[in-house]
Amino acid sequence: MDLLRHLRHFVVVARELHFGRAAELLGMAQPPLSQSIQRLERELAVELFDRSRRQVRLTTAGELLLGEAEELLAGEGRLRNLMHQVRAGALGVLRAGVPPETPAVTLRALLDRLGDRAPGLDVELHELTSAEQVRMLTERRLDVGLVHHPVEADGLRFGTPVDVPLGVLLPRTSPLARAREVELAALDGLDLVTAPRATAPGWHDHLLDVCRRHGFRPGRVRPARNPEFLFGLVLAGGGVAVEPAATARREPRIAWRPVAGAALVKRTSAAWPAHSAHPAAAMFAQLAADVLADAEPARPGPAPDPARRPWPVLFDAAG
């Protein structure tokens, strides 16, 4: 027996006290409605309506049931609405990963937008490298993350990518900082300060390959996990880094110069499991792409023609 369906029929009849009008409101014929009420009465072993007179009236049992039925149906509505919000990703806990170098202002903007879009969603942020995020996503210990490409992993979906222009970080006292742009070959022999390979293997390997193929053979590759340590190594002399302009803004003694002849970019996007994904994963991905794009506007002017670039880059800045 579909008790809730029969109770809905009962409540309409109880409010109208007229089977014909109730049937019209319910969009059904009167005989099936009368049968539904009779089945409910048999199920509960009571009479709900006094049909002895020309006017239909509630019995004592009917009066008592009406309040309980209305409360039960209202609870069903709340339950369905709650589950709808869960399916839409507006409620629950979202386990999200972000790279350690993510600026505080970017995190604040992302959390603010998530709060505006889904105020009931509890976002559990984890500071994780791309490699750690990919591993946890495949193990289903993370719902969504922001990773640096390329990513070699099966079973993941990716959101809209954002390309961040890269340049060379130098001490402001370096002679190379006097130029508007820097050739990679001009860095030959200097140390390259960059994140450890384990943090984002695909990006790390490609960066070194590009540098070496275009005249920059680092004396050493020196790992730096956080910006402060990276700045220290660069300022100590003999080392450079290839990073976004925003990184240099944290340290006034560091200069950022674009790479001459090409639009070298670092691509970042959200990633989440392709199957049984968290309902809020796609929403997080789009909001994160919007925030990253706002934080790192594209360089002015048209993107260079990829076919005319003197050397290939990891990603085509033109898309």
Side-chain angles (χ1 to χ4, degrees):
M1 177 183 179
D2 186 348
L3 179 61
L4 291 176
R5 181 171 66 88
H6 293 296
L7 286 175
R8 280 192 287 270
H9 293 170
F10 162 74
V11 168
V12 176
V13 176
R15 290 171 178 169
E16 295 296 321
L17 294 177
H18 192 284
F19 278 83
R21 289 196 301 269
E24 291 180 6
L25 290 173
L26 290 166
M28 61 189 299
Q30 184 172 334
L33 176 59
S34 297
Q35 294 169 9
S36 176
I37 298 301
Q38 291 168 4
R39 184 172 180 182
L40 179 61
E41 289 176 323
R42 290 196 299 271
E43 179 71 21
L44 300 178
V46 294
E47 288 189 356
L48 300 173
F49 294 98
D50 181 358
R51 303 175 180 83
S52 62
R53 303 178 183 179
R54 296 182 62 182
Q55 184 178 2
V56 177
R57 293 184 179 181
L58 286 169
T59 64
T60 300
E63 291 176 351
L64 293 173
L65 179 62
L66 179 58
E68 295 293 332
E70 289 176 330
E71 185 175 341
L72 182 60
L73 293 173
E76 181 207 18
R78 290 192 297 270
L79 178 63
R80 290 184 180 277
N81 180 61
L82 182 67
M83 294 302 101
H84 172 75
Q85 292 185 67
V86 172
R87 290 195 305 274
L91 291 178
V93 177
L94 178 70
R95 300 168 299 176
V98 294
E101 70 274 14
T102 306
V105 65
T106 300
L107 287 178
R108 175 62 184 271
L110 177 57
L111 290 174
D112 285 347
R113 295 196 190 190
L114 284 165
D116 292 340
R117 180 71 64 86
L121 184 66
D122 183 9
V123 182
E124 187 180 283
L125 279 182
H126 299 268
E127 184 185 39
L128 300 166
T129 67
S130 291
E132 290 170 334
Q133 290 184 57
V134 169
R135 183 175 66 253
M136 292 180 66
L137 286 167
T138 56
E139 294 173 354
R140 310 308 297 272
R141 294 190 290 128
L142 198 67
D143 299 313
V144 65
L146 288 176
V147 297
H148 300 314
H149 290 257
V151 174
E152 295 183 4
D154 296 328
L156 294 182
R157 295 184 61 188
F158 298 95
T160 303
V162 177
D163 291 339
V164 178
L166 299 181
V168 180
L169 267 60
L170 305 155
R172 287 196 176 274
T173 56
S174 170
L176 292 171
R178 300 170 188 168
R180 294 174 63 90
E181 297 180 324
V182 176
E183 297 278 355
L184 281 182
L187 307 175
D188 192 37
L190 296 175
D191 291 348
L192 176 63
V193 184
T194 188
R197 183 181 185 278
T199 63
W203 164 251
H204 185 275
D205 291 348
H206 183 84
L207 176 61
L208 291 182
D209 180 61
V210 168
C211 289
R212 288 166 180 158
R213 283 191 287 114
H214 299 282
F216 175 22
R217 292 172 295 277
R220 287 182 296 173
V221 178
R222 308 186 67 176
R225 287 185 173 272
N226 64 74
E228 293 302 321
F229 189 64
L230 181 146
F231 294 149
L233 292 179
V234 171
L235 290 170
V240 296
V242 178
E243 296 288 337
T247 304
R249 298 187 196 118
R250 306 185 190 185
E251 173 52 67
R253 293 171 293 174
I254 292 287
W256 183 89
R257 297 293 181 265
V259 176
L264 182 61
V265 298
K266 191 172 188 179
R267 177 164 291 178
T268 303
S269 80
W272 65 93
H275 301 291
S276 301
H278 191 287
M283 175 185 67
F284 177 94
Q286 189 55 56
L287 292 178
D290 294 342
V291 169
L292 290 175
D294 290 345
E296 293 288 350
R299 292 175 65 184
D305 181 354
R308 302 180 64 182
R309 290 177 183 164
W311 47 273
V313 295
L314 179 58
F315 298 111
D316 179 358

